[in-house]
Amino acid sequence: MRRDRAARLLRWAALVAGLYVATAGHVGSNNVFFSGEAGPYPVSVVIRPPEVIPGLAEISIRVPGGGVDRVTVRPVRWDAATEGGAPPPDVAAPVAGDPELYAAELWLMTVGAYRVEVAVEGSRGDGEVSVPVTSIMLGVRDLPPGLGWILLALAILLVAGVVALAGAAVRESQLPSGETAGSRRRWRARVTMAATAVGVAGLLYVGNLWWEAVDREVRSGIFARLAVEGAIVHAGGVPVLEIAITDPAWRGRDWSPLVPDHGKLMHMFVVGAPGMDAFAHVHPVPVDSATFRVPWPDLPPGEYRIYGDIVHESGFAQTVVDTITVDAAALTAPEAGDVPPGTPAGLLRDADDSAWTGVPVALSGPGSETRLDDGSILEWQGDQELRVDEETVLAFRVWDPDEKPARLEPYMGMRSHAALTRDDGAVFVHLHPAGTISMGSLAVLAPAPAPTAGGPTAEAGGTGVVEFPFAFPQPGDYTIWVQVKREGRVLTGAFQATVLE
């Protein structure tokens, strides 16, 4: 059933107030993390995009194992082939004190999807890997008030000087030496000064109109998430989660069709709030050009945040966000006579859809563990302390019920998936062992994607270990859901972590 519109607006406003504007692909996390291989070299890449476009992106590349002679980076727009190619690569400089770390800065000149080509040359040969980056405008930099007052004072001085010079030129420029300007010359000078002041004021007015037009155009490019409306409807008597994209920009000038990411047009995460005691990873399918539907997962009534990851044909990735209230009546199938004529048949559940309910386990240090539905154990093996903006690896090991390292099956092409959220909803990130990148964007932007760490080729003989490179963008309490696949079954474990300043 549809929610009451006023209540929905209040919940939406509360959610937006808590959200930190972020990159298009996630909520509250502006940085890109990637772990993979550039030919024979394992690499870890962190890209910190600028908040203002054009702007400088900070790139750091870690290449363990030595034997590296040179590392280069190059930003390539998704449509570079049709616009005259990409700029030459920049050399990443070694970082003093860390022989494995290289750093560079790259200009991202326009909004859109890019790939950053990382090339490594050394004793093991040459290798290259592409990392997708979504370049968006997060805001504009306002002029500092103090500097504004200084510039205003200088502008007043300049205008006064121009007016005074114009008056002096009329009054005294043709006056013989030693003579005093008569009343006629003084009157003409005053008229000239007044006309000059009016002319300068007119120029300033026109200039201000131009500046405001430019400012409006720039601010119109500030990234805004697509407006969507989530609701529970019934299709063929089955409760269905419907996500309708209501934003006019959905079919705007820069619109392009969606492409699959891990074989799905949308990855949606349903998070029970505020308790963090319910979670689902589902895959809605389009029923028309702006509406997606998926059977409601096996979750109880309650308040939920929904996050839907999509990738456009250009490689541009973004996340749609909404909140939804699900009551018991919405999950009750209507009687046959209550189903309106022409109601579409129920949707088939995707085999990769999954749902979890329970209490997340607090991370009290390495060795914290939670039991999965098949009796397996998910054990935390990462750092004891998690801090803001510190690069880390969220590491877990899966033990089978006999306490032996579990052999994992690829889950949608990856060794594992994870999702994490700050409990107030200010941060949400979908993670892979390859990092925060969208594999759909990588498939679009990279001409020949290289194998990435954690993919199906990185099974590592059933060690049961899964790792996710990341750095938390904000302090606070987080819930982390880790998903693996064993014997054809998707298993989910949840942990609670506190991230310190």
Side-chain angles (χ1 to χ4, degrees), residues 27-241:
V27 176
S29 179
N30 195 32
N31 300 332
V32 177
F33 298 86
F34 172 82
S35 179
E37 294 86 28
Y41 302 94
V43 296
S44 295
V45 181
V46 179
I47 303 175
R48 294 177 169 84
E51 294 186 0
V52 177
I53 305 298
L56 282 170
E58 298 177 1
I59 319 290
S60 64
I61 307 102
R62 183 172 296 279
V63 190
V68 177
D69 296 331
R70 191 172 83 139
V71 176
T72 63
V73 292
R74 181 172 71 151
V76 182
R77 256 186 67 101
W78 70 275
D79 56 354
T82 64
E83 294 189 358
D90 290 0
V91 176
V95 176
D98 191 334
E100 297 180 345
L101 189 61
Y102 298 80
E105 291 184 333
L106 293 178
W107 280 99
L108 300 183
M109 301 302 296
T110 59
V111 170
Y114 281 80
R115 70 175 185 269
V116 173
E117 296 178 347
V118 178
V120 183
E121 303 171 9
S123 60
R124 286 175 273 173
D126 299 343
E128 184 176 300
V129 69
S130 294
V131 183
V133 177
T134 300
S135 170
I136 59 172
M137 176 86 74
L138 295 180
V140 296
R141 297 190 184 278
D142 293 323
L143 192 69
L147 179 58
W149 285 111
I150 292 173
L151 292 177
L152 178 60
L154 292 174
I156 293 172
L157 182 63
L158 181 61
V159 170
V162 169
V163 172
L165 285 173
V170 172
R171 185 177 58 246
E172 301 171 357
S173 63
Q174 296 180 349
L175 191 68
S177 177
E179 290 189 14
T180 302
S183 60
R184 183 177 179 82
R185 284 183 179 272
R186 290 197 299 271
W187 180 83
R188 288 174 59 193
R190 293 189 189 101
V191 172
T192 300
M193 292 172 68
T196 302
V198 171
V200 171
L203 289 174
L204 291 175
Y205 177 75
V206 172
N208 184 65
L209 291 179
W210 170 82
W211 177 259
E212 289 180 347
V214 171
D215 185 64
R216 284 194 301 270
E217 182 179 358
V218 171
R219 291 180 185 273
S220 69
I222 295 175
F223 175 74
R225 297 192 180 280
L226 289 170
V228 300
E229 182 175 349
I232 299 296
V233 299
H234 285 88
V238 177
V240 168
L241 173 59

Side-chain angles (χ1 to χ4, degrees), residues 326-480:
V326 180
D327 55 30
L331 301 182
T332 303
E335 298 294 334
D338 296 332
V339 179
T343 299
L347 299 172
L348 294 176
R349 291 190 180 274
D350 191 305
D352 292 318
D353 287 359
S354 60
W356 170 92
T357 56
V359 179
V361 172
L363 291 181
S364 57
S368 300
E369 61 182 43
T370 185
R371 193 166 291 276
L372 306 180
D373 285 346
D374 71 340
S376 303
I377 297 171
L378 181 66
E379 181 185 30
W380 166 252
Q381 297 194 322
D383 296 333
Q384 184 166 356
E385 269 194 355
L386 299 172
R387 292 191 174 273
V388 170
D389 208 29
E390 286 189 2
E391 296 175 35
T392 187
V393 175
L394 306 179
F396 305 86
R397 184 188 292 272
V398 183
W399 304 91
D400 69 17
D402 295 328
E403 298 188 0
K404 298 177 182 178
R407 182 172 292 276
L408 305 178
E409 301 169 2
Y411 175 34
M412 290 185 291
M414 303 297 291
R415 185 171 172 78
S416 179
H417 290 250
L420 61 85
T421 182
R422 205 171 83 165
D423 289 359
D424 63 359
V427 177
F428 175 84
V429 179
H430 178 192
L431 283 168
H432 306 120
T436 61
I437 66 167
S438 162
M439 302 306 294
S441 296
L442 182 62
V444 171
L445 296 170
T452 55
T457 60
E459 178 51 42
T463 62
V465 175
V466 293
E467 298 178 334
F468 307 91
F470 190 58
F472 289 89
Q474 300 177 41
D477 293 327
Y478 285 78
T479 302
I480 307 169

